Amino acid sequence: MIQKTFSIIKPDATARNLEGKILARIQDAGLNVVAMKKIRMTKEQAEGFYYVHKERPFFQSLIEFMTSGPVVCSVLEGENAIENYRAIMGATNPADAAEGTIRKEFAENIEANSVHGSDAPETAQYEINYFFNNLEITG
Ligand code: IDP
């Protein structure tokens, strides 16, 4: 099943110029980048993106982190893209992430964990539409 998912390369990774290395892993996994942009999110944009986490204790810290520098947002397309990308990202906490995953290799800690990837078809649709309009998506 060809599917789309939404990815963010987070501020800890852009600060270390890791965009190219992370995108290489994404493409090597068979995912096509069908839309991409580098932005600096406002507090309001980050809060809207992460609204599902608004009751979590780490919410304010997460918003500060996500607005601390630029991020690279992209739409990825491929076979089972959601699950495929989550697999190469690795666990949320890099201490628990499997060898060879993006987070194991690049993440700094459970918050500054280098990448975001949608966790389900409904969230992927919400997240893609939150950052991109139809004219910006090539696939
Ligand atoms: P996910 O990104 O692996 O799907 P979620 O549980 O959806 O993980 O959490 C969203 C983001 O919130 C994480 O990627 C991470 O940046 C941050 N986060 C999650 N758990 C914690 C925590 O316990 N402390 C600080 N930040 C956290």
Side-chain angles (χ1 to χ4, degrees):
M1 176 194 35
I2 300 294
Q3 197 177 48
K4 286 187 176 69
T5 191
F6 177 74
S7 160
I8 299 180
I9 300 176
K10 296 185 178 182
D12 67 289
T14 62
R16 289 175 287 150
N17 281 328
L18 292 172
E19 296 96 320
K21 285 186 176 153
I22 292 174
L23 285 165
R25 281 168 173 260
I26 287 171
Q27 293 178 311
D28 287 348
L31 292 162
N32 295 323
V33 179
V34 295
M36 181 159 63
K37 60 185 163 194
K38 190 175 209 175
I39 59 168
R40 174 116 185 211
M41 274 194 254
T42 64
K43 193 168 172 287
E44 291 68 30
Q45 286 168 335
E47 285 171 351
F49 177 69
Y50 276 126
Y51 79 97
V52 290
H53 295 307
K54 63 181 185 303
E55 307 301 339
R56 309 272 288 269
F58 56 82
F59 183 69
Q60 279 315 322
S61 174
L62 177 61
I63 298 307
E64 270 173 45
F65 163 61
M66 290 300 288
T67 56
S68 66
V71 296
V72 175
C73 299
S74 55
V75 180
L76 310 177
E77 187 175 71
E79 189 68 29
N80 290 321
I82 294 172
E83 205 182 299
N84 184 358
Y85 188 40
R86 297 282 302 184
I88 65 164
M89 283 166 53
T92 308
N93 188 345
D96 303 328
E99 285 301 328
T101 59
I102 293 170
R103 283 167 165 171
K104 178 71 177 182
E105 184 157 347
F106 301 120
E108 295 181 327
N109 53 58
I110 192 170
E111 178 178 82
N113 59 4
S114 301
V115 282
H116 166 85
S118 311
D119 60 5
E122 308 74 51
T123 42
Q125 199 56 58
Y126 172 81
E127 293 172 359
I128 290 168
N129 293 339
Y130 192 79
F131 285 105
F132 293 96
N133 66 45
N134 282 342
L135 288 174
E136 296 173 313
I137 301 172
T138 59

PDB file of all heavy atoms in Angstrom, residues 10 50 52-53 56-59 61-62 65-66 86 89-93 103 109-119, ligand 1:
ATOM      1  N   LYS A  10      14.111  17.849  13.479  1.00  0.00           N
ATOM      2  CA  LYS A  10      13.926  18.774  14.600  1.00  0.00           C
ATOM      3  C   LYS A  10      15.132  19.709  14.801  1.00  0.00           C
ATOM      4  O   LYS A  10      16.211  19.473  14.251  1.00  0.00           O
ATOM      5  CB  LYS A  10      13.642  17.956  15.863  1.00  0.00           C
ATOM      6  CG  LYS A  10      12.329  17.162  15.790  1.00  0.00           C
ATOM      7  CD  LYS A  10      12.040  16.467  17.112  1.00  0.00           C
ATOM      8  CE  LYS A  10      10.712  15.714  17.065  1.00  0.00           C
ATOM      9  NZ  LYS A  10      10.399  15.068  18.370  1.00  0.00           N
ATOM     10  N   TYR A  50       1.246  20.073  18.134  1.00  0.00           N
ATOM     11  CA  TYR A  50       1.359  19.096  19.221  1.00  0.00           C
ATOM     12  C   TYR A  50       0.156  19.131  20.171  1.00  0.00           C
ATOM     13  O   TYR A  50       0.289  18.728  21.331  1.00  0.00           O
ATOM     14  CB  TYR A  50       2.640  19.347  20.011  1.00  0.00           C
ATOM     15  CG  TYR A  50       3.888  18.707  19.418  1.00  0.00           C
ATOM     16  CD1 TYR A  50       5.020  19.461  19.140  1.00  0.00           C
ATOM     17  CD2 TYR A  50       3.954  17.327  19.170  1.00  0.00           C
ATOM     18  CE1 TYR A  50       6.177  18.871  18.616  1.00  0.00           C
ATOM     19  CE2 TYR A  50       5.097  16.733  18.651  1.00  0.00           C
ATOM     20  CZ  TYR A  50       6.206  17.505  18.382  1.00  0.00           C
ATOM     21  OH  TYR A  50       7.337  16.910  17.885  1.00  0.00           O
ATOM     22  N   VAL A  52      -2.274  17.344  20.739  1.00  0.00           N
ATOM     23  CA  VAL A  52      -2.628  16.074  21.417  1.00  0.00           C
ATOM     24  C   VAL A  52      -1.823  15.871  22.699  1.00  0.00           C
ATOM     25  O   VAL A  52      -2.215  15.098  23.565  1.00  0.00           O
ATOM     26  CB  VAL A  52      -2.452  14.815  20.525  1.00  0.00           C
ATOM     27  CG1 VAL A  52      -3.478  14.762  19.420  1.00  0.00           C
ATOM     28  CG2 VAL A  52      -1.042  14.708  19.986  1.00  0.00           C
ATOM     29  N   HIS A  53      -0.684  16.572  22.792  1.00  0.00           N
ATOM     30  CA  HIS A  53       0.168  16.407  23.983  1.00  0.00           C
ATOM     31  C   HIS A  53      -0.026  17.520  25.000  1.00  0.00           C
ATOM     32  O   HIS A  53       0.755  17.638  25.934  1.00  0.00           O
ATOM     33  CB  HIS A  53       1.648  16.395  23.573  1.00  0.00           C
ATOM     34  CG  HIS A  53       2.029  15.228  22.728  1.00  0.00           C
ATOM     35  ND1 HIS A  53       1.771  13.930  23.097  1.00  0.00           N
ATOM     36  CD2 HIS A  53       2.661  15.143  21.529  1.00  0.00           C
ATOM     37  CE1 HIS A  53       2.218  13.104  22.166  1.00  0.00           C
ATOM     38  NE2 HIS A  53       2.752  13.817  21.199  1.00  0.00           N
ATOM     39  N   ARG A  56       0.289  16.820  28.640  1.00  0.00           N
ATOM     40  CA  ARG A  56       1.472  16.081  29.117  1.00  0.00           C
ATOM     41  C   ARG A  56       2.408  17.027  29.881  1.00  0.00           C
ATOM     42  O   ARG A  56       2.515  18.213  29.553  1.00  0.00           O
ATOM     43  CB  ARG A  56       2.230  15.452  27.934  1.00  0.00           C
ATOM     44  CG  ARG A  56       1.358  14.626  26.979  1.00  0.00           C
ATOM     45  CD  ARG A  56       1.205  13.178  27.361  1.00  0.00           C
ATOM     46  NE  ARG A  56       2.403  12.386  27.167  1.00  0.00           N
ATOM     47  CZ  ARG A  56       2.701  11.727  26.051  1.00  0.00           C
ATOM     48  NH1 ARG A  56       1.911  11.812  24.985  1.00  0.00           N
ATOM     49  NH2 ARG A  56       3.779  10.977  25.986  1.00  0.00           N
ATOM     50  N   PRO A  57       3.119  16.524  30.884  1.00  0.00           N
ATOM     51  CA  PRO A  57       3.976  17.391  31.709  1.00  0.00           C
ATOM     52  C   PRO A  57       5.106  18.059  30.930  1.00  0.00           C
ATOM     53  O   PRO A  57       5.568  19.134  31.311  1.00  0.00           O
ATOM     54  CB  PRO A  57       4.547  16.434  32.769  1.00  0.00           C
ATOM     55  CG  PRO A  57       4.301  15.061  32.249  1.00  0.00           C
ATOM     56  CD  PRO A  57       3.091  15.133  31.367  1.00  0.00           C
ATOM     57  N   PHE A  58       5.519  17.436  29.824  1.00  0.00           N
ATOM     58  CA  PHE A  58       6.652  17.986  29.067  1.00  0.00           C
ATOM     59  C   PHE A  58       6.219  18.946  27.956  1.00  0.00           C
ATOM     60  O   PHE A  58       7.052  19.405  27.171  1.00  0.00           O
ATOM     61  CB  PHE A  58       7.500  16.848  28.482  1.00  0.00           C
ATOM     62  CG  PHE A  58       6.731  15.883  27.609  1.00  0.00           C
ATOM     63  CD1 PHE A  58       6.466  16.180  26.275  1.00  0.00           C
ATOM     64  CD2 PHE A  58       6.284  14.674  28.110  1.00  0.00           C
ATOM     65  CE1 PHE A  58       5.762  15.309  25.453  1.00  0.00           C
ATOM     66  CE2 PHE A  58       5.572  13.786  27.294  1.00  0.00           C
ATOM     67  CZ  PHE A  58       5.319  14.108  25.963  1.00  0.00           C
ATOM     68  N   PHE A  59       4.910  19.273  27.883  1.00  0.00           N
ATOM     69  CA  PHE A  59       4.397  20.051  26.745  1.00  0.00           C
ATOM     70  C   PHE A  59       5.119  21.394  26.567  1.00  0.00           C
ATOM     71  O   PHE A  59       5.586  21.709  25.464  1.00  0.00           O
ATOM     72  CB  PHE A  59       2.886  20.263  26.902  1.00  0.00           C
ATOM     73  CG  PHE A  59       2.254  20.981  25.748  1.00  0.00           C
ATOM     74  CD1 PHE A  59       2.135  20.374  24.501  1.00  0.00           C
ATOM     75  CD2 PHE A  59       1.766  22.268  25.892  1.00  0.00           C
ATOM     76  CE1 PHE A  59       1.547  21.036  23.427  1.00  0.00           C
ATOM     77  CE2 PHE A  59       1.171  22.941  24.821  1.00  0.00           C
ATOM     78  CZ  PHE A  59       1.068  22.318  23.597  1.00  0.00           C
ATOM     79  N   SER A  61       7.984  22.482  27.629  1.00  0.00           N
ATOM     80  CA  SER A  61       9.386  22.281  27.279  1.00  0.00           C
ATOM     81  C   SER A  61       9.511  21.845  25.814  1.00  0.00           C
ATOM     82  O   SER A  61      10.393  22.309  25.080  1.00  0.00           O
ATOM     83  CB  SER A  61       9.967  21.220  28.221  1.00  0.00           C
ATOM     84  OG  SER A  61      11.263  20.896  27.847  1.00  0.00           O
ATOM     85  N   LEU A  62       8.600  20.987  25.385  1.00  0.00           N
ATOM     86  CA  LEU A  62       8.603  20.515  23.992  1.00  0.00           C
ATOM     87  C   LEU A  62       8.366  21.678  23.023  1.00  0.00           C
ATOM     88  O   LEU A  62       9.037  21.787  21.990  1.00  0.00           O
ATOM     89  CB  LEU A  62       7.522  19.436  23.815  1.00  0.00           C
ATOM     90  CG  LEU A  62       7.319  18.872  22.409  1.00  0.00           C
ATOM     91  CD1 LEU A  62       8.590  18.188  21.891  1.00  0.00           C
ATOM     92  CD2 LEU A  62       6.145  17.881  22.389  1.00  0.00           C
ATOM     93  N   PHE A  65      11.488  23.777  22.838  1.00  0.00           N
ATOM     94  CA  PHE A  65      12.493  23.081  22.031  1.00  0.00           C
ATOM     95  C   PHE A  65      12.167  23.174  20.532  1.00  0.00           C
ATOM     96  O   PHE A  65      13.028  23.518  19.714  1.00  0.00           O
ATOM     97  CB  PHE A  65      12.596  21.609  22.465  1.00  0.00           C
ATOM     98  CG  PHE A  65      13.284  20.736  21.476  1.00  0.00           C
ATOM     99  CD1 PHE A  65      14.611  20.980  21.111  1.00  0.00           C
ATOM    100  CD2 PHE A  65      12.620  19.682  20.858  1.00  0.00           C
ATOM    101  CE1 PHE A  65      15.260  20.188  20.163  1.00  0.00           C
ATOM    102  CE2 PHE A  65      13.253  18.890  19.912  1.00  0.00           C
ATOM    103  CZ  PHE A  65      14.576  19.150  19.563  1.00  0.00           C
ATOM    104  N   MET A  66      10.919  22.915  20.173  1.00  0.00           N
ATOM    105  CA  MET A  66      10.549  22.881  18.753  1.00  0.00           C
ATOM    106  C   MET A  66      10.594  24.259  18.084  1.00  0.00           C
ATOM    107  O   MET A  66      10.612  24.359  16.861  1.00  0.00           O
ATOM    108  CB  MET A  66       9.163  22.250  18.576  1.00  0.00           C
ATOM    109  CG  MET A  66       9.122  20.760  18.866  1.00  0.00           C
ATOM    110  SD  MET A  66      10.214  19.758  17.815  1.00  0.00           S
ATOM    111  CE  MET A  66       9.351  19.835  16.243  1.00  0.00           C
ATOM    112  N   ARG A  86       8.602   5.112  10.914  1.00  0.00           N
ATOM    113  CA  ARG A  86       8.707   4.910  12.366  1.00  0.00           C
ATOM    114  C   ARG A  86       9.796   3.886  12.681  1.00  0.00           C
ATOM    115  O   ARG A  86      10.521   4.019  13.661  1.00  0.00           O
ATOM    116  CB  ARG A  86       7.366   4.430  12.952  1.00  0.00           C
ATOM    117  CG  ARG A  86       6.207   5.397  12.823  1.00  0.00           C
ATOM    118  CD  ARG A  86       6.197   6.514  13.791  1.00  0.00           C
ATOM    119  NE  ARG A  86       6.178   6.115  15.170  1.00  0.00           N
ATOM    120  CZ  ARG A  86       6.078   6.993  16.178  1.00  0.00           C
ATOM    121  NH1 ARG A  86       5.976   8.298  15.932  1.00  0.00           N
ATOM    122  NH2 ARG A  86       6.083   6.585  17.424  1.00  0.00           N
ATOM    123  N   MET A  89      13.198   5.511  12.274  1.00  0.00           N
ATOM    124  CA  MET A  89      13.396   6.551  13.299  1.00  0.00           C
ATOM    125  C   MET A  89      13.911   5.946  14.600  1.00  0.00           C
ATOM    126  O   MET A  89      14.793   6.498  15.240  1.00  0.00           O
ATOM    127  CB  MET A  89      12.062   7.256  13.613  1.00  0.00           C
ATOM    128  CG  MET A  89      11.618   8.272  12.583  1.00  0.00           C
ATOM    129  SD  MET A  89       9.882   8.748  12.816  1.00  0.00           S
ATOM    130  CE  MET A  89       9.831   9.223  14.542  1.00  0.00           C
ATOM    131  N   GLY A  90      13.307   4.851  15.036  1.00  0.00           N
ATOM    132  CA  GLY A  90      13.644   4.252  16.325  1.00  0.00           C
ATOM    133  C   GLY A  90      12.778   4.796  17.444  1.00  0.00           C
ATOM    134  O   GLY A  90      11.984   5.715  17.249  1.00  0.00           O
ATOM    135  N   ALA A  91      12.956   4.239  18.652  1.00  0.00           N
ATOM    136  CA  ALA A  91      12.127   4.589  19.810  1.00  0.00           C
ATOM    137  C   ALA A  91      12.297   6.065  20.188  1.00  0.00           C
ATOM    138  O   ALA A  91      13.343   6.658  19.937  1.00  0.00           O
ATOM    139  CB  ALA A  91      12.501   3.707  20.988  1.00  0.00           C
ATOM    140  N   THR A  92      11.245   6.616  20.831  1.00  0.00           N
ATOM    141  CA  THR A  92      11.230   8.029  21.251  1.00  0.00           C
ATOM    142  C   THR A  92      12.484   8.388  22.049  1.00  0.00           C
ATOM    143  O   THR A  92      13.119   9.407  21.803  1.00  0.00           O
ATOM    144  CB  THR A  92       9.979   8.297  22.125  1.00  0.00           C
ATOM    145  OG1 THR A  92       8.825   7.844  21.424  1.00  0.00           O
ATOM    146  CG2 THR A  92       9.831   9.773  22.447  1.00  0.00           C
ATOM    147  N   ASN A  93      12.802   7.540  23.023  1.00  0.00           N
ATOM    148  CA  ASN A  93      13.998   7.757  23.842  1.00  0.00           C
ATOM    149  C   ASN A  93      15.195   7.070  23.165  1.00  0.00           C
ATOM    150  O   ASN A  93      15.190   5.851  23.007  1.00  0.00           O
ATOM    151  CB  ASN A  93      13.769   7.161  25.230  1.00  0.00           C
ATOM    152  CG  ASN A  93      14.888   7.507  26.188  1.00  0.00           C
ATOM    153  OD1 ASN A  93      15.962   7.945  25.771  1.00  0.00           O
ATOM    154  ND2 ASN A  93      14.636   7.311  27.464  1.00  0.00           N
ATOM    155  N   ARG A 103      17.334   7.805  15.499  1.00  0.00           N
ATOM    156  CA  ARG A 103      17.430   8.335  16.863  1.00  0.00           C
ATOM    157  C   ARG A 103      18.604   7.730  17.631  1.00  0.00           C
ATOM    158  O   ARG A 103      19.248   8.414  18.414  1.00  0.00           O
ATOM    159  CB  ARG A 103      16.104   8.126  17.586  1.00  0.00           C
ATOM    160  CG  ARG A 103      15.043   9.150  17.130  1.00  0.00           C
ATOM    161  CD  ARG A 103      13.669   8.779  17.591  1.00  0.00           C
ATOM    162  NE  ARG A 103      12.723   9.887  17.486  1.00  0.00           N
ATOM    163  CZ  ARG A 103      11.419   9.742  17.671  1.00  0.00           C
ATOM    164  NH1 ARG A 103      10.913   8.559  17.961  1.00  0.00           N
ATOM    165  NH2 ARG A 103      10.606  10.789  17.552  1.00  0.00           N
ATOM    166  N   ASN A 109      18.572  13.282  23.376  1.00  0.00           N
ATOM    167  CA  ASN A 109      17.836  12.782  24.556  1.00  0.00           C
ATOM    168  C   ASN A 109      16.373  12.575  24.158  1.00  0.00           C
ATOM    169  O   ASN A 109      16.025  12.763  22.991  1.00  0.00           O
ATOM    170  CB  ASN A 109      17.982  13.755  25.741  1.00  0.00           C
ATOM    171  CG  ASN A 109      17.589  15.174  25.362  1.00  0.00           C
ATOM    172  OD1 ASN A 109      16.462  15.414  24.922  1.00  0.00           O
ATOM    173  ND2 ASN A 109      18.521  16.114  25.494  1.00  0.00           N
ATOM    174  N   ILE A 110      15.530  12.221  25.153  1.00  0.00           N
ATOM    175  CA  ILE A 110      14.134  11.861  24.846  1.00  0.00           C
ATOM    176  C   ILE A 110      13.364  13.022  24.215  1.00  0.00           C
ATOM    177  O   ILE A 110      12.417  12.804  23.448  1.00  0.00           O
ATOM    178  CB  ILE A 110      13.410  11.315  26.101  1.00  0.00           C
ATOM    179  CG1 ILE A 110      12.069  10.669  25.728  1.00  0.00           C
ATOM    180  CG2 ILE A 110      13.239  12.394  27.157  1.00  0.00           C
ATOM    181  CD1 ILE A 110      11.403   9.893  26.852  1.00  0.00           C
ATOM    182  N   GLU A 111      13.742  14.258  24.511  1.00  0.00           N
ATOM    183  CA  GLU A 111      13.060  15.420  23.918  1.00  0.00           C
ATOM    184  C   GLU A 111      13.736  15.823  22.597  1.00  0.00           C
ATOM    185  O   GLU A 111      13.072  15.907  21.553  1.00  0.00           O
ATOM    186  CB  GLU A 111      13.081  16.598  24.882  1.00  0.00           C
ATOM    187  CG  GLU A 111      12.440  17.845  24.298  1.00  0.00           C
ATOM    188  CD  GLU A 111      12.426  18.976  25.307  1.00  0.00           C
ATOM    189  OE1 GLU A 111      13.458  19.656  25.449  1.00  0.00           O
ATOM    190  OE2 GLU A 111      11.385  19.157  25.977  1.00  0.00           O
ATOM    191  N   ALA A 112      15.033  16.071  22.651  1.00  0.00           N
ATOM    192  CA  ALA A 112      15.783  16.486  21.455  1.00  0.00           C
ATOM    193  C   ALA A 112      16.171  15.220  20.692  1.00  0.00           C
ATOM    194  O   ALA A 112      17.335  14.794  20.697  1.00  0.00           O
ATOM    195  CB  ALA A 112      17.005  17.293  21.868  1.00  0.00           C
ATOM    196  N   ASN A 113      15.141  14.618  20.072  1.00  0.00           N
ATOM    197  CA  ASN A 113      15.355  13.294  19.475  1.00  0.00           C
ATOM    198  C   ASN A 113      15.341  13.328  17.940  1.00  0.00           C
ATOM    199  O   ASN A 113      15.018  12.346  17.284  1.00  0.00           O
ATOM    200  CB  ASN A 113      14.356  12.280  20.047  1.00  0.00           C
ATOM    201  CG  ASN A 113      12.919  12.677  19.814  1.00  0.00           C
ATOM    202  OD1 ASN A 113      12.647  13.684  19.158  1.00  0.00           O
ATOM    203  ND2 ASN A 113      11.992  11.893  20.321  1.00  0.00           N
ATOM    204  N   SER A 114      15.715  14.463  17.386  1.00  0.00           N
ATOM    205  CA  SER A 114      16.114  14.631  15.971  1.00  0.00           C
ATOM    206  C   SER A 114      15.021  14.538  14.909  1.00  0.00           C
ATOM    207  O   SER A 114      15.117  15.213  13.891  1.00  0.00           O
ATOM    208  CB  SER A 114      17.241  13.656  15.586  1.00  0.00           C
ATOM    209  OG  SER A 114      18.371  13.872  16.396  1.00  0.00           O
ATOM    210  N   VAL A 115      14.029  13.666  15.112  1.00  0.00           N
ATOM    211  CA  VAL A 115      13.007  13.507  14.068  1.00  0.00           C
ATOM    212  C   VAL A 115      11.613  13.288  14.642  1.00  0.00           C
ATOM    213  O   VAL A 115      11.463  12.759  15.744  1.00  0.00           O
ATOM    214  CB  VAL A 115      13.331  12.316  13.115  1.00  0.00           C
ATOM    215  CG1 VAL A 115      14.398  12.685  12.104  1.00  0.00           C
ATOM    216  CG2 VAL A 115      13.706  11.062  13.879  1.00  0.00           C
ATOM    217  N   HIS A 116      10.632  13.684  13.853  1.00  0.00           N
ATOM    218  CA  HIS A 116       9.227  13.362  14.109  1.00  0.00           C
ATOM    219  C   HIS A 116       8.700  12.580  12.921  1.00  0.00           C
ATOM    220  O   HIS A 116       9.043  12.884  11.777  1.00  0.00           O
ATOM    221  CB  HIS A 116       8.389  14.647  14.261  1.00  0.00           C
ATOM    222  CG  HIS A 116       6.914  14.382  14.185  1.00  0.00           C
ATOM    223  ND1 HIS A 116       6.178  14.004  15.286  1.00  0.00           N
ATOM    224  CD2 HIS A 116       6.065  14.358  13.120  1.00  0.00           C
ATOM    225  CE1 HIS A 116       4.928  13.772  14.902  1.00  0.00           C
ATOM    226  NE2 HIS A 116       4.821  13.990  13.598  1.00  0.00           N
ATOM    227  N   GLY A 117       7.843  11.608  13.184  1.00  0.00           N
ATOM    228  CA  GLY A 117       7.135  10.911  12.105  1.00  0.00           C
ATOM    229  C   GLY A 117       5.729  10.585  12.562  1.00  0.00           C
ATOM    230  O   GLY A 117       5.529  10.183  13.720  1.00  0.00           O
ATOM    231  N   SER A 118       4.757  10.756  11.687  1.00  0.00           N
ATOM    232  CA  SER A 118       3.352  10.481  12.034  1.00  0.00           C
ATOM    233  C   SER A 118       3.210   9.040  12.535  1.00  0.00           C
ATOM    234  O   SER A 118       3.908   8.144  12.072  1.00  0.00           O
ATOM    235  CB  SER A 118       2.455  10.641  10.813  1.00  0.00           C
ATOM    236  OG  SER A 118       2.703  11.860  10.157  1.00  0.00           O
ATOM    237  N   ASP A 119       2.227   8.853  13.473  1.00  0.00           N
ATOM    238  CA  ASP A 119       2.071   7.508  14.041  1.00  0.00           C
ATOM    239  C   ASP A 119       0.858   6.741  13.525  1.00  0.00           C
ATOM    240  O   ASP A 119       0.668   5.587  13.891  1.00  0.00           O
ATOM    241  CB  ASP A 119       2.058   7.577  15.578  1.00  0.00           C
ATOM    242  CG  ASP A 119       0.923   8.426  16.126  1.00  0.00           C
ATOM    243  OD1 ASP A 119       0.084   8.891  15.322  1.00  0.00           O
ATOM    244  OD2 ASP A 119       0.869   8.610  17.352  1.00  0.00           O
TER     245      ASP A 119
HETATM  246  P1  IDP B   1       7.143  10.071  19.151  1.00  0.00           P
HETATM  247  O1  IDP B   1       7.762  11.353  18.618  1.00  0.00           O
HETATM  248  O2  IDP B   1       8.158   8.949  19.195  1.00  0.00           O
HETATM  249  O3  IDP B   1       5.870   9.689  18.445  1.00  0.00           O
HETATM  250  P2  IDP B   1       5.532  11.019  21.433  1.00  0.00           P
HETATM  251  O4  IDP B   1       5.252  10.227  22.677  1.00  0.00           O
HETATM  252  O5  IDP B   1       4.398  11.250  20.466  1.00  0.00           O
HETATM  253  O6  IDP B   1       6.786  10.336  20.705  1.00  0.00           O
HETATM  254  O7  IDP B   1       6.100  12.424  21.925  1.00  0.00           O
HETATM  255  C1  IDP B   1       6.233  13.502  21.037  1.00  0.00           C
HETATM  256  C2  IDP B   1       7.555  14.192  21.305  1.00  0.00           C
HETATM  257  O8  IDP B   1       7.541  14.747  22.622  1.00  0.00           O
HETATM  258  C3  IDP B   1       8.789  13.257  21.304  1.00  0.00           C
HETATM  259  O9  IDP B   1       9.289  12.978  20.020  1.00  0.00           O
HETATM  260  C4  IDP B   1       9.763  14.055  22.144  1.00  0.00           C
HETATM  261  O10 IDP B   1      10.387  15.114  21.389  1.00  0.00           O
HETATM  262  C5  IDP B   1       8.853  14.658  23.191  1.00  0.00           C
HETATM  263  N1  IDP B   1       8.766  13.805  24.392  1.00  0.00           N
HETATM  264  C6  IDP B   1       8.123  12.610  24.530  1.00  0.00           C
HETATM  265  N2  IDP B   1       8.240  12.114  25.764  1.00  0.00           N
HETATM  266  C7  IDP B   1       8.961  13.042  26.468  1.00  0.00           C
HETATM  267  C8  IDP B   1       9.418  13.119  27.821  1.00  0.00           C
HETATM  268  O11 IDP B   1       9.173  12.215  28.646  1.00  0.00           O
HETATM  269  N3  IDP B   1      10.140  14.221  28.143  1.00  0.00           N
HETATM  270  C9  IDP B   1      10.420  15.228  27.259  1.00  0.00           C
HETATM  271  N4  IDP B   1      10.002  15.193  25.981  1.00  0.00           N
HETATM  272  C10 IDP B   1       9.297  14.117  25.592  1.00  0.00           C
END
